[in-house]
Amino acid sequence: LFGFRAAGKSYVMARAPMGFTLSCPAMHAITHCLAQEAARDAKFFAYVDNVRFVGKTPEVVKGAMDRFLALCKDYSITVNQDEAISPHETSLFLGQVTDLKQKTVKLAAKTVDRLAKWKEKCHRALSADQVMELAGLIGWASRVLRVSLPSYYIVIKFFRRRIASGAPGAPWPCVSEPLARWLDTLIRNDPVPVRAAQAPTDVYLYTDASTIGFGAVLVRRDTILEFSHRFERSRTAPEINELEMEAVRRAVSYFADIIKTASSVTILVDNTSVAYALRKGSCYAYRLSEQLAEAHREITNASGRIPWYVDFIASSENLADPLSRGKPLTLFSSQQSRLGARKTSIQTRVLVPA
C-alpha cells in the first residue's frame, strides 16, 4: 500500500506497479510529483518507518510526527523508531534526494556508488541481464538529473541490441567512450532545480515540413511571426521525419531571441514520431537521432532554464502547414479566437535560402 497527502487531498495506490518495464518510470513519476509538491511550500522534512512529514518549520513537522507516534501507541501499531530521523531540510525517497531549501533534486549517495562500480566494470564482457540492469539504472538516473539522451544514441542502441539478442559480450568499440562519459555525468551528480508544475505557456511555436520546404509560426499574445524556407529541389517523402525535426531546429534557432525572453514555450508539431522523440529524448533511427540531438541542443541554448513542452496537433490545426508548402499564412476565425490574435498583427519574417 502506497499513499500520501498533498494540497489538502489524500492519494493512495492500492497496487504499486512492479516489474522491470513499469516500476522505474512509475516510481520516478511519484517521486517527481512529491518533489514538486514539497518544493512548493515545505521547508523541513522528517521520516518514521516509511512515513514522511513535511512542513514550513521544524516545529510543525515534529508536531505532526509526535501526533502520529501517539496514534500508533494508542492503537498498538509497531513503529521502527530506530530508522526515524528528526526534521531537516533534505528528503531521501526512492533513491532521489530533494533539497527543500534550495529546491533541487539529485541522486542518493548509494545510487552514485552503484554507478561508480558500474564504471569500473562496464568495459568488460556483460551478460544480457547485466546490460538490462545497467540500462535501467542509467535511464532512471538520467530522468532524475534530466540528462539529455540523444547524445548517447549509440549507447542506447547497444543496450537495445544486446538485450534483444541475449548474447553476452563486451561493449562495442564505439560505445566505450560515450558510455564512460554518460556515467561520469551521472556520478558528478550535479543538483537540478525541481520542475514546477507546467506554467501557462507564453509562446507557442508551430513547425512543419513538406517535400518542398519548412514553415514555422510563433504566437505570443497578440503577435504572430512567421518563418519559411523553400528547398532548391524537392525532397523525397521517406525523409519527412528528418525534415520535420530539422524544421523544429531551424524554427527554434530563428526565433531564439524571442524564446529567451519567454516564461515557457510549447512546440506544436503534427508528426507523431517527432513529437514522441522530442518528449522522450531518444529514438531508434540513426539519422533522426542525430537531428534530434541537434534540435535538443538548439532548444536548450535558446530556452536556458525556461520550461519547454511538446504537443502533437492535427495537420489541420498546424498554422505552419501552408508555409511549408509555399502558401501564405491564413488564420480562420476559430483559430484567431483560440489564439487571441488579430490578423492585422501578423509580422512576416522570411528566411532567405542560403
Short mmCIF file of all heavy atoms in Angstrom, two decimals, residues 2 4 13 22-36 93-94 96 140 143-144:
data_model
loop_
_atom_site.label_atom_id
_atom_site.label_comp_id
_atom_site.label_asym_id
_atom_site.label_seq_id
_atom_site.Cartn_x
_atom_site.Cartn_y
_atom_site.Cartn_z
N PHE A 2 0.63 2.14 -0.93
CA PHE A 2 1.40 3.38 -1.01
C PHE A 2 0.41 4.54 -0.99
O PHE A 2 -0.57 4.54 -1.74
CB PHE A 2 2.22 3.41 -2.30
CG PHE A 2 2.96 4.70 -2.51
CD1 PHE A 2 4.20 4.88 -1.93
CD2 PHE A 2 2.42 5.72 -3.27
CE1 PHE A 2 4.90 6.06 -2.11
CE2 PHE A 2 3.11 6.90 -3.45
CZ PHE A 2 4.35 7.07 -2.87
N PHE A 4 -0.10 9.05 0.04
CA PHE A 4 0.46 10.32 0.50
C PHE A 4 -0.64 11.38 0.46
O PHE A 4 -1.69 11.20 -0.17
CB PHE A 4 1.67 10.76 -0.33
CG PHE A 4 1.36 11.00 -1.79
CD1 PHE A 4 1.05 12.27 -2.26
CD2 PHE A 4 1.40 9.96 -2.69
CE1 PHE A 4 0.78 12.50 -3.58
CE2 PHE A 4 1.13 10.17 -4.04
CZ PHE A 4 0.82 11.44 -4.48
N MET A 13 -2.27 4.37 -3.75
CA MET A 13 -2.06 3.43 -4.83
C MET A 13 -2.25 2.04 -4.24
O MET A 13 -1.39 1.56 -3.49
CB MET A 13 -0.68 3.58 -5.44
CG MET A 13 -0.42 2.68 -6.64
SD MET A 13 1.22 2.92 -7.33
CE MET A 13 1.04 4.57 -8.01
N LEU A 22 7.73 -1.35 -15.86
CA LEU A 22 6.90 -0.27 -15.34
C LEU A 22 7.41 0.37 -14.05
O LEU A 22 7.15 1.54 -13.80
CB LEU A 22 5.47 -0.78 -15.10
CG LEU A 22 4.65 -1.14 -16.33
CD1 LEU A 22 3.32 -1.70 -15.90
CD2 LEU A 22 4.44 0.09 -17.20
N SER A 23 8.11 -0.37 -13.23
CA SER A 23 8.37 0.11 -11.87
C SER A 23 9.22 1.37 -11.84
O SER A 23 8.90 2.31 -11.11
CB SER A 23 9.03 -0.99 -11.03
OG SER A 23 10.23 -1.42 -11.66
N CYS A 24 10.29 1.42 -12.62
CA CYS A 24 11.17 2.60 -12.57
C CYS A 24 10.46 3.87 -13.02
O CYS A 24 10.48 4.88 -12.30
CB CYS A 24 12.44 2.35 -13.40
SG CYS A 24 13.57 1.18 -12.64
N PRO A 25 9.83 3.89 -14.21
CA PRO A 25 9.11 5.11 -14.60
C PRO A 25 8.00 5.49 -13.64
O PRO A 25 7.79 6.67 -13.36
CB PRO A 25 8.55 4.75 -15.99
CG PRO A 25 9.42 3.65 -16.49
CD PRO A 25 9.81 2.87 -15.28
N ALA A 26 7.29 4.49 -13.11
CA ALA A 26 6.18 4.79 -12.19
C ALA A 26 6.70 5.39 -10.90
O ALA A 26 6.17 6.39 -10.41
CB ALA A 26 5.38 3.52 -11.90
N MET A 27 7.74 4.79 -10.33
CA MET A 27 8.29 5.32 -9.09
C MET A 27 8.92 6.70 -9.30
O MET A 27 8.84 7.57 -8.44
CB MET A 27 9.33 4.36 -8.51
CG MET A 27 8.75 3.07 -7.95
SD MET A 27 7.57 3.37 -6.60
CE MET A 27 6.06 2.80 -7.35
N HIS A 28 9.56 6.90 -10.48
CA HIS A 28 10.12 8.23 -10.75
C HIS A 28 9.02 9.27 -10.86
O HIS A 28 9.15 10.39 -10.38
CB HIS A 28 10.94 8.23 -12.04
CG HIS A 28 11.47 9.58 -12.40
ND1 HIS A 28 10.81 10.42 -13.25
CD2 HIS A 28 12.56 10.26 -11.96
CE1 HIS A 28 11.48 11.55 -13.36
NE2 HIS A 28 12.54 11.48 -12.60
N ALA A 29 7.91 8.90 -11.50
CA ALA A 29 6.78 9.84 -11.62
C ALA A 29 6.25 10.22 -10.25
O ALA A 29 5.92 11.38 -9.98
CB ALA A 29 5.67 9.21 -12.47
N ILE A 30 6.19 9.24 -9.33
CA ILE A 30 5.71 9.52 -7.97
C ILE A 30 6.68 10.45 -7.25
O ILE A 30 6.27 11.45 -6.64
CB ILE A 30 5.54 8.20 -7.20
CG1 ILE A 30 4.37 7.39 -7.80
CG2 ILE A 30 5.28 8.47 -5.72
CD1 ILE A 30 4.28 5.98 -7.26
N THR A 31 7.98 10.13 -7.28
CA THR A 31 8.95 10.97 -6.57
C THR A 31 8.99 12.37 -7.16
O THR A 31 9.16 13.35 -6.44
CB THR A 31 10.36 10.35 -6.64
OG1 THR A 31 10.72 10.13 -8.00
CG2 THR A 31 10.41 9.04 -5.89
N HIS A 32 8.82 12.47 -8.50
CA HIS A 32 8.83 13.78 -9.13
C HIS A 32 7.64 14.62 -8.65
O HIS A 32 7.79 15.80 -8.32
CB HIS A 32 8.79 13.62 -10.65
CG HIS A 32 8.71 14.91 -11.40
ND1 HIS A 32 9.72 15.85 -11.35
CD2 HIS A 32 7.76 15.43 -12.20
CE1 HIS A 32 9.38 16.89 -12.10
NE2 HIS A 32 8.20 16.66 -12.62
N CYS A 33 6.46 14.01 -8.60
CA CYS A 33 5.26 14.73 -8.12
C CYS A 33 5.42 15.15 -6.66
O CYS A 33 5.05 16.26 -6.27
CB CYS A 33 4.03 13.87 -8.29
SG CYS A 33 3.55 13.59 -10.02
N LEU A 34 5.96 14.25 -5.84
CA LEU A 34 6.17 14.59 -4.43
C LEU A 34 7.19 15.71 -4.28
O LEU A 34 7.03 16.60 -3.44
CB LEU A 34 6.62 13.35 -3.66
CG LEU A 34 5.57 12.25 -3.47
CD1 LEU A 34 6.19 11.05 -2.77
CD2 LEU A 34 4.38 12.75 -2.68
N ALA A 35 8.25 15.67 -5.09
CA ALA A 35 9.25 16.73 -5.03
C ALA A 35 8.65 18.07 -5.42
O ALA A 35 8.93 19.10 -4.81
CB ALA A 35 10.43 16.39 -5.94
N GLN A 36 7.80 18.06 -6.46
CA GLN A 36 7.12 19.29 -6.88
C GLN A 36 6.28 19.85 -5.73
O GLN A 36 6.32 21.05 -5.43
CB GLN A 36 6.22 19.02 -8.08
CG GLN A 36 6.93 18.92 -9.40
CD GLN A 36 5.94 18.77 -10.54
OE1 GLN A 36 4.83 18.27 -10.35
NE2 GLN A 36 6.32 19.22 -11.72
N PHE A 93 14.04 9.75 -0.88
CA PHE A 93 12.91 8.87 -1.18
C PHE A 93 13.17 8.17 -2.50
O PHE A 93 13.40 8.83 -3.53
CB PHE A 93 11.61 9.67 -1.25
CG PHE A 93 10.38 8.82 -1.43
CD1 PHE A 93 10.08 7.80 -0.54
CD2 PHE A 93 9.52 9.03 -2.50
CE1 PHE A 93 8.95 7.01 -0.70
CE2 PHE A 93 8.39 8.26 -2.67
CZ PHE A 93 8.10 7.24 -1.77
N LEU A 94 13.20 6.83 -2.49
CA LEU A 94 13.39 6.03 -3.69
C LEU A 94 14.61 6.47 -4.50
O LEU A 94 14.56 6.61 -5.72
CB LEU A 94 12.13 6.08 -4.57
CG LEU A 94 10.88 5.42 -3.99
CD1 LEU A 94 9.69 5.63 -4.90
CD2 LEU A 94 11.12 3.92 -3.77
N GLN A 96 16.17 9.30 -4.60
CA GLN A 96 16.21 10.70 -5.02
C GLN A 96 16.24 11.59 -3.79
O GLN A 96 15.43 11.44 -2.89
CB GLN A 96 14.99 11.02 -5.88
CG GLN A 96 14.88 12.50 -6.28
CD GLN A 96 13.72 12.74 -7.20
OE1 GLN A 96 13.62 12.14 -8.27
NE2 GLN A 96 12.81 13.62 -6.81
N TRP A 140 17.08 5.54 -15.41
CA TRP A 140 16.38 6.16 -14.29
C TRP A 140 17.16 7.35 -13.74
O TRP A 140 16.59 8.42 -13.50
CB TRP A 140 16.18 5.12 -13.17
CG TRP A 140 15.63 5.74 -11.92
CD1 TRP A 140 14.34 6.10 -11.67
CD2 TRP A 140 16.39 6.12 -10.77
NE1 TRP A 140 14.24 6.66 -10.41
CE2 TRP A 140 15.48 6.69 -9.84
CE3 TRP A 140 17.74 6.03 -10.42
CZ2 TRP A 140 15.89 7.17 -8.61
CZ3 TRP A 140 18.14 6.50 -9.19
CH2 TRP A 140 17.21 7.06 -8.30
N ARG A 143 16.79 10.39 -15.85
CA ARG A 143 15.50 11.07 -15.67
C ARG A 143 15.55 11.99 -14.46
O ARG A 143 15.02 13.11 -14.49
CB ARG A 143 14.38 10.04 -15.50
CG ARG A 143 14.02 9.29 -16.77
CD ARG A 143 13.09 8.12 -16.48
NE ARG A 143 11.80 8.58 -16.00
CZ ARG A 143 10.73 8.75 -16.76
NH1 ARG A 143 10.82 8.52 -18.06
NH2 ARG A 143 9.58 9.15 -16.25
N VAL A 144 16.17 11.53 -13.38
CA VAL A 144 16.25 12.36 -12.17
C VAL A 144 17.08 13.61 -12.44
O VAL A 144 16.69 14.73 -12.07
CB VAL A 144 16.86 11.55 -11.00
CG1 VAL A 144 17.10 12.47 -9.79
CG2 VAL A 144 15.95 10.40 -10.62
#
